[in-house]
Amino acid sequence: MEKTKIPRRLEGKVAIVTASTQGIGFGIIERFGLEGASVVVSSRKQANVDEAVEKLKSKGIDAYGIVCHVSNAQHRRNLVEKTVQKYGKIDIVVCNAAANPSTDPILSTKEAVLDKLWEINVKSSILLLQDMAPHLEKGSSVIFITSIAGFQPQGSMAMYGVTKTALLGLVKALAAEMGPDTRVNAVAPGFVPTHFASFITGNSEVRESIEEKTLLNRLGTTGDMAAAAAFLASDDSSYITGETLVVAGGMPSRL
């Protein structure tokens, strides 16, 4: 198959992606950079940030790295302040940071784990956007990374899935609150073989059973998710807000 030429729809834009040193987050930030955006890489570890920035710069991308643990208030403020100091504005924000610290059934999940799931997967994104809102340009785009698990939370991902369901509602609420100057949407990935999902996709039997549940008989790729995010970040989606774009190979996606 001929490689699709990547358009340059994000020239002159400044994009922040949380948890963007590997997996889906890195795929998204790389795509944004290849489309012409200046990109701000962030995650918890300096070494990972530095490595990701070097990879992006080697592809001719204007990349800047800032350590940010999204549950740390000072880190969040620092992410916003340093970005604005360097670039003067923020056009695109992707809230990608997530945790799934437990595979226990919901009724066996410890309170500390419930708190962490809520804090990382939902609350931290709200607090980050509170800090960013004054700096968002007219025509800006906020994108949440939710999950196919948000539509039918079950099994080892049940409570994680419920936090992703919450994001579906948050997108609707924030689209109303932040419009008309900022659009708010989400990408709901299906199963993508990344480090984060390795406990699922690493098992060949489980992997095959997931592939069979899709209509395209394959798992997703980080590139699939990045293409969807780039569409939502660009003016090609200028009349779309409050929506969740499911990128899951046809897996069922109704609440």
Side-chain angles (χ1 to χ4, degrees):
M1 189 172 83
E2 188 185 342
K3 195 167 182 197
T4 313
K5 189 173 187 302
I6 292 176
R8 288 183 69 85
R9 296 174 291 187
L10 305 179
E11 297 271 9
K13 303 288 189 185
V14 176
I16 295 177
V17 182
T18 61
S20 51
T21 57
Q22 58 186 7
I24 290 172
F26 183 78
I28 290 171
I29 209 161
E30 180 182 46
R31 175 67 184 247
F32 286 2
L34 292 172
E35 292 218 16
S38 297
V39 297
V40 179
V41 179
S42 74
S43 78
R44 290 178 300 167
K45 294 179 182 167
Q46 185 73 57
N48 292 355
V49 170
D50 293 344
E51 186 184 348
V53 167
E54 284 311 307
K55 277 187 199 164
L56 295 169
K57 284 185 171 175
S58 73
K59 298 191 174 190
I61 293 167
D62 176 18
Y64 182 51
I66 303 169
V67 169
C68 180
H69 193 317
V70 292
S71 63
N72 181 313
Q74 186 54 52
H75 281 206
R76 291 192 302 267
R77 282 194 295 273
N78 195 41
L79 177 62
V80 176
E81 286 167 10
K82 283 193 170 175
T83 300
V84 173
Q85 277 168 14
K86 183 163 176 66
Y87 295 111
K89 62 170 187 167
I90 302 167
D91 298 288
I92 301 161
V93 184
V94 179
C95 297
N96 173 59
N100 188 21
S102 167
T103 56
D104 291 335
I106 291 172
L107 297 183
S108 305
T109 302
K110 293 182 170 57
E111 185 174 359
V113 172
L114 293 173
D115 288 343
K116 182 174 182 181
L117 277 161
W118 171 255
E119 184 170 19
I120 303 288
N121 297 1
V122 184
K123 187 174 86 169
S124 66
S125 292
I126 298 170
L127 294 173
L128 182 61
L129 288 174
Q130 286 178 357
D131 289 338
M132 285 188 184
H135 306 285
L136 290 173
E137 291 287 286
K138 188 174 169 62
S140 53
S141 175
V142 172
I143 302 164
F144 288 88
I145 306 302
T146 173
S147 171
I148 191 71
F151 291 92
Q152 197 167 357
Q154 59 188 0
S156 62
M157 299 179 75
M159 195 58 221
Y160 166 84
V162 170
T163 64
K164 293 299 193 174
T165 311
L167 294 183
L168 305 180
L170 187 59
V171 163
K172 295 286 188 194
L174 285 178
E177 186 172 324
M178 298 179 79
D181 290 344
T182 299
R183 296 182 299 107
V184 184
N185 294 291
V187 174
F191 289 91
V192 180
T194 61
H195 176 70
F196 186 83
S198 59
F199 77 102
I200 296 170
T201 58
N203 178 316
S204 59
E205 281 181 24
V206 174
R207 182 180 175 129
E208 281 172 25
S209 76
I210 293 169
E211 287 171 344
E212 284 167 10
K213 285 182 183 144
T214 73
L215 304 181
L216 302 179
N217 294 327
R218 68 173 179 88
L219 299 185
T221 67
T222 57
D224 293 328
M225 308 311 140
F231 166 66
L232 291 174
S234 78
D235 289 341
D236 282 350
S237 62
S238 63
Y239 199 54
I240 299 174
T241 194
E243 300 298 342
T244 295
L245 179 53
V246 179
V247 189
M251 289 180 84
S253 58
R254 285 178 72 93
L255 279 178

